[in-house]
Amino acid sequence: MTEITPAIVADHGLSPAEYDEVVRALGRMPNLLELGIFSVMWSEHCSYKSSRLHLKKLPTTAPWVICGPGENAGVIDIGDGDAAIFKMESHNHPSFIEPYQGAATGVGGILRDVFTMGARPVANLNALRFGSPDAPRMKHLIKGVVAGIGGYGNCVGVPTVGGETNFHPAYNGNILVNAMTVGVARADKIFYSAAAGVGNSVVYVGSKTGRDGIHGATMASTEFTEGDEDKRPTVQVGDPFTEKLLIEACLELMASDAIVAIQDMGAAGLTSSSVEMASKGGVGLELDMNAVPTRETGMTPYEMMLSESQERMLMVLKPGREAFAEAIFAKWELDFAVIGHVTDTERLVLNFDGATVADIPLGPLADKAPLYDRPWVATPPRPPLTDVPESTDLAADLLKLMACPDIASKRWIWEQYDHMVGADTLQRPGGDAAVVRVHGTRKALAMTTDCTPRYCFADPVEGGKQAVAEVWRNLIAVGAKPLAITDCLNFGNPQRPEIMGQLVGCIEGMAEACRALDFPVVSGNVSLYNETDGTAILPTPAIGGVGLIDDYAKTMTMGFKAAGEYLWLVGVSATHLGQSLWLRHVAGREDGPPPPVSLEDERRTGEFVSSVIRNGLVTAVHDVSDGGVLVAAAEMALAGGVGAHIDWAFCRDLAPTGLFGEAQGRYLMTSEHIQFGAVANTADVPVRYIGRVGGDAVQDSEGSMFTVSLSALRAAHEGAFPAMMAAAT
């Protein structure tokens, strides 16, 4: 038996105090297998030991919420007996080490989280953060991540319909890859993970277990140091073709009455799936490790329990249904093995070669895992922005912003994804939100991901509010009723009080916004220790939102439709240049506070925009965000292939640099009639006429301040990303 030394404990990511807790929980010294099980279950990735205390602040209920956090994914009611099931998760560390497989297996894992609930996946999204494009390995990482997302999603037959991609030097040593999946199921056929029924069979299905991904959860719960990109054995290897078979086999079995409980083998593999199923059900499990299907010879129980091999599920079946289930998985050419049974002991017991090799009470592994109230300090407020230079050339500034990595068209990325498979995608990537029809109905789901990390770094509370509010606006802009969010909270080392303060502040801001907008959190993920050699990423609470469109014929798009239409700004005309992209990319500064978010105004304005879309009073709608009003107008012009004349008086009032300010709660929209202004005046929201659609340029109405042709805008916007990536070849 291996002697458990302090070095071995440290290698497993446990502190000396945590090891002492392990000894107390067992009433004896652990063996290496038991130590490994505790190490992954007590990792940040599985236990949320630094964040659970604060996650309780998030609102998680609403009349339309069927299942909130705590299961594999969140579930919301979308009417007519249908439910939407969705979640977002991180695969950050694996993607930095091995970008193709790291990103691919991130997609595979989130797909399993959704279809294990009984849903057919209908859409994938992602939220990607990269470092400076010219940083070492960065273009290699971009290419690998995009290829991995496309390679897995395209092969498994689920469209990748939306997402976002940002760049900042803070991600040079730790990129972020957050994957989201949305599925649809019947509301009365949702499957949960709580094991039940003493004596019921515990069944392993899917791919065989290999040695890939061992200690993946532990690796994802510590910061990087120099050379950690060589930790390739901790990264799983995905097989999307097997995943497709697994989806179909599971959904076929779910159409019967055979399943008691089902759980994806995700982070920590067989360990987490068995522990979570048993602990949620208040039962125990006894497993025969000799029965686990393996693809490599001589695998030990330690390797089997900690492997994160992909495309595997664990389930509990009703008595006598084993042969029926096995026939289904045999038809789909997947492994099926009865590897244990449910007990009443509330313990996890593992047997191998006729001996008991682990015997652990489940409470300390799950509900009674460590919970820390870590010290934190609030981020100090940023001083007001002073000495801001004025724009000397608005046209040049607009072109520079349209070509900057954050705003430039990501067509180079999304054209590598199959976004139309399934034939239900109604709005492709590039708009405010993707729209996917609920097959066989008039309904559609709108979905998006968003976050502005530079705001969160400058003021975590305002940044957390803004992330939720912008997702709300993106859904509103396509005509959807926002229903719920999932989140992926990406931060640095929580043992540093300033980093913990960022996490606490962002959660508080998110919670405030969710309450004000009736926009509950139904699922999510926390990813900590995203830093290298003490340099942390920007705080990045990525938000994924889902909304409902009752009739997809009323879906709204952002492109200008016809010359002569009137252009309106809904929301405040005031500007805010602090933390704006104009300030960073044109003035070369990252200063000032982020724009404040008035949640009362957000709700009032959003409800007004929803009403005019619903009543057919507008022809195009676009959220105003990065780059401000002028960038939003240029994006609408490019989407519609027609220019605009921006009212000269409006340009003058925004003192022209303010055209790039990022004040919140604003939309641009077009209408066919000037009488729209009279309708708008009856609403308790600011609405201002700012121009007319027409021509082949975006310019001020007098042509004296700026004129930028659509061809120049398109060359800057569409050409920047391919040119950047071509430089890597």
Side-chain angles (χ1 to χ4, degrees):
M1 179 181 291
T2 302
E3 180 187 358
I4 305 301
T5 65
I8 289 176
V9 171
D11 285 344
H12 281 74
L14 294 172
S15 69
E18 287 172 338
Y19 179 71
D20 290 343
E21 285 297 317
V22 170
V23 173
R24 276 192 285 273
L26 291 174
R28 56 177 170 78
M29 306 282 281
N31 60 36
L32 185 64
L33 170 58
E34 292 166 333
L35 181 71
I37 289 171
F38 271 99
S39 79
V40 293
M41 291 307 300
W42 285 9
S43 68
E44 287 284 359
H45 197 75
C46 293
S47 73
Y48 296 165
K49 58 191 175 186
S50 296
S51 57
R52 289 202 323 266
L53 189 69
H54 300 283
L55 293 174
K56 296 175 183 178
K57 301 171 185 175
L58 295 169
T60 59
T61 60
W64 52 88
V65 174
I66 296 173
C67 177
E71 273 293 340
N72 288 287
V75 186
I76 57 173
D77 188 342
I78 57 172
D80 308 310
D82 294 322
I85 301 179
F86 60 100
K87 188 182 182 182
M88 180 158 53
E89 275 210 346
S90 61
H91 234 221
N92 303 332
H93 285 55
S95 299
F96 185 77
I97 294 169
E98 207 322 286
Y100 184 95
Q101 290 295 348
T105 52
V107 173
I110 197 64
L111 282 165
R112 289 193 299 279
D113 278 339
V114 168
F115 75 74
T116 192
M117 300 286 291
R120 177 169 292 280
V122 298
N124 289 330
L125 301 92
N126 50 73
L128 310 178
R129 319 284 166 181
F130 297 110
S132 297
D134 57 356
R137 296 184 70 234
M138 197 53 59
K139 293 188 178 72
H140 163 73
L141 293 171
I142 296 168
K143 286 184 172 183
V145 165
V146 172
I149 291 170
Y152 203 100
N154 296 355
C155 292
V156 84
V158 178
T160 301
V161 299
E164 56 171 342
T165 306
N166 297 149
F167 297 82
H168 193 279
Y171 303 103
N172 282 357
N174 198 129
I175 64 172
L176 302 184
V177 177
N178 296 169
M180 176 177 170
T181 293
V182 181
V184 175
R186 296 298 292 173
D188 61 352
K189 290 288 284 184
I190 307 299
F191 288 81
Y192 299 98
S193 59
V198 173
N200 282 345
S201 295
V202 177
V203 174
Y204 171 121
V205 301
S207 292
K208 289 179 169 60
T209 295
R211 291 188 170 96
D212 53 316
I214 293 174
H215 280 303
T218 306
M219 176 270 293
S221 304
T222 185
E223 64 186 88
F224 280 136
T225 56
E226 190 69 32
D228 273 4
E229 62 269 22
D230 293 327
K231 289 183 175 178
R232 287 179 178 82
T234 62
V235 179
Q236 313 95 319
V237 178
D239 180 353
F241 298 104
T242 300
E243 181 100 337
K244 174 62 174 173
L245 300 177
L246 188 60
I247 292 173
E248 299 304 330
C250 287
L251 292 178
E252 183 175 340
L253 184 60
M254 287 167 169
S256 73
D257 64 346
I259 298 175
V260 174
I262 183 169
Q263 174 74 38
D264 160 44
M265 290 193 215
L270 185 53
T271 291
S272 64
S273 56
S274 56
V275 168
E276 289 171 10
M277 290 180 79
S279 61
K280 287 176 183 175
V283 296
L285 294 185
E286 185 168 343
L287 305 182
D288 176 9
M289 303 309 295
N290 293 93
V292 174
T294 58
R295 66 169 181 259
E296 300 181 50
T297 58
M299 288 190 70
T300 66
Y302 180 97
E303 292 170 324
M304 295 179 208
M305 290 301 290
L306 270 62
S307 167
E308 294 185 6
S309 293
Q310 295 291 285
E311 293 85 42
R312 302 179 302 158
M313 310 284 279
L314 195 66
M315 57 180 70
V316 174
L317 297 182
K318 290 182 179 178
R321 302 295 276 168
E322 294 86 354
F324 171 79
E326 184 174 12
I328 290 175
F329 283 89
K331 181 183 79 171
W332 291 100
E333 300 181 344
L334 296 167
D335 276 279
F336 177 99
V338 176
I339 65 168
H341 62 275
V342 178
T343 70
D344 61 0
T345 63
E346 297 187 34
R347 301 181 74 86
L348 178 66
V349 177
L350 307 179
N351 300 315
F352 185 66
D353 287 348
T356 297
V357 291
D359 186 348
I360 307 175
L362 285 161
L365 288 176
D367 295 339
K368 297 177 183 176
L371 175 62
Y372 297 136
D373 184 2
R374 296 202 184 274
W376 61 275
V377 295
T379 301
R382 292 294 184 99
L385 196 60
T386 57
D387 303 322
V388 180
E390 279 294 328
S391 173
T392 57
D393 188 336
L394 286 169
D397 289 358
L398 177 58
L399 286 170
K400 188 169 187 177
L401 284 175
M402 294 298 284
C404 81
D406 282 356
I407 293 176
S409 170
K410 306 306 186 296
R411 182 184 297 272
W412 183 92
I413 292 177
W414 58 257
E415 282 192 339
Q416 297 183 52
Y417 305 152
D418 187 340
H419 50 276
M420 298 303 294
V421 62
D424 283 322
T425 304
L426 302 179
Q427 281 206 40
R428 67 184 189 179
D432 284 306
V435 180
V436 177
R437 177 173 45 207
V438 178
H439 198 75
T441 76
R442 298 292 301 176
K443 297 180 296 191
L445 293 173
M447 54 198 77
T448 187
T449 65
D450 225 310
C451 179
T452 312
R454 62 186 186 275
Y455 293 175
C456 297
F457 182 69
D459 186 331
V461 175
E462 280 310 299
K465 286 161 58 176
Q466 190 274 342
V468 173
E470 183 157 354
V471 166
W472 158 275
R473 287 198 301 274
N474 288 338
L475 297 174
I476 292 281
V478 298
K481 174 180 172 56
L483 291 178
I485 67 171
T486 182
D487 60 53
C488 197
L489 307 181
N490 308 271
F491 293 82
N493 184 343
Q495 297 177 60
R496 294 166 55 193
E498 68 275 17
I499 300 295
M500 194 65 207
Q502 293 173 352
L503 175 62
V504 172
C506 284
I507 289 174
E508 289 178 352
M510 289 168 54
E512 187 180 345
C514 289
R515 286 191 296 268
L517 301 174
D518 284 339
F519 207 22
V521 180
V522 296
S523 59
N525 169 240
V526 179
S527 175
L528 303 179
Y529 295 95
N530 288 291
E531 56 182 78
T532 298
D533 293 330
T535 300
I537 62 165
L538 299 182
T540 311
I543 306 296
V546 173
L548 179 66
I549 300 172
D550 290 328
D551 182 352
Y552 60 74
K554 295 186 176 181
T555 300
M556 184 54 57
T557 58
M558 62 182 271
F560 290 149
K561 303 301 184 295
E565 291 185 338
Y566 298 88
L567 181 61
W568 308 87
L569 173 66
V570 179
V572 296
S573 294
T575 187
H576 186 100
L577 285 170
Q579 298 301 323
S580 66
L581 284 183
W582 181 88
L583 192 68
R584 182 206 293 178
H585 286 281
V586 176
R589 295 165 54 182
E590 294 186 49
D591 294 336
V597 178
S598 169
L599 294 168
E600 183 179 348
D601 290 347
E602 284 283 1
R603 179 152 191 163
R604 186 185 305 112
T605 303
E607 289 173 348
F608 168 74
V609 173
S610 292
S611 70
V612 297
I613 293 174
R614 188 169 55 248
N615 293 317
L617 300 178
V618 291
T619 55
V621 176
H622 186 28
D623 163 44
V624 178
S625 57
D626 286 349
V629 170
L630 203 52
V631 165
E635 290 171 337
M636 296 176 81
L638 289 177
V642 59
H645 298 265
I646 310 299
D647 182 59
W648 182 87
F650 172 76
C651 297
R652 177 203 61 203
D653 290 350
L654 263 65
T657 300
L659 291 169
F660 302 114
E662 296 176 8
Q664 296 295 293
R666 302 188 296 173
Y667 305 77
L668 288 186
M669 55 176 55
T670 56
S671 69
E672 296 176 334
H673 306 289
I674 192 66
Q675 288 84 358
F676 177 78
V679 174
N681 284 337
T682 65
D684 188 21
V685 296
V687 179
R688 179 171 177 175
Y689 165 78
I690 67 164
R692 297 286 294 274
V693 174
D696 59 1
V698 174
Q699 63 184 90
D700 69 282
S701 57
E702 295 188 0
S704 60
M705 301 174 80
F706 60 92
T707 299
V708 187
S709 69
L710 290 186
S711 60
L713 283 171
R714 184 163 284 109
H717 192 239
E718 297 279 355
F721 211 95
M724 179 184 82
M725 295 309 299
T729 305

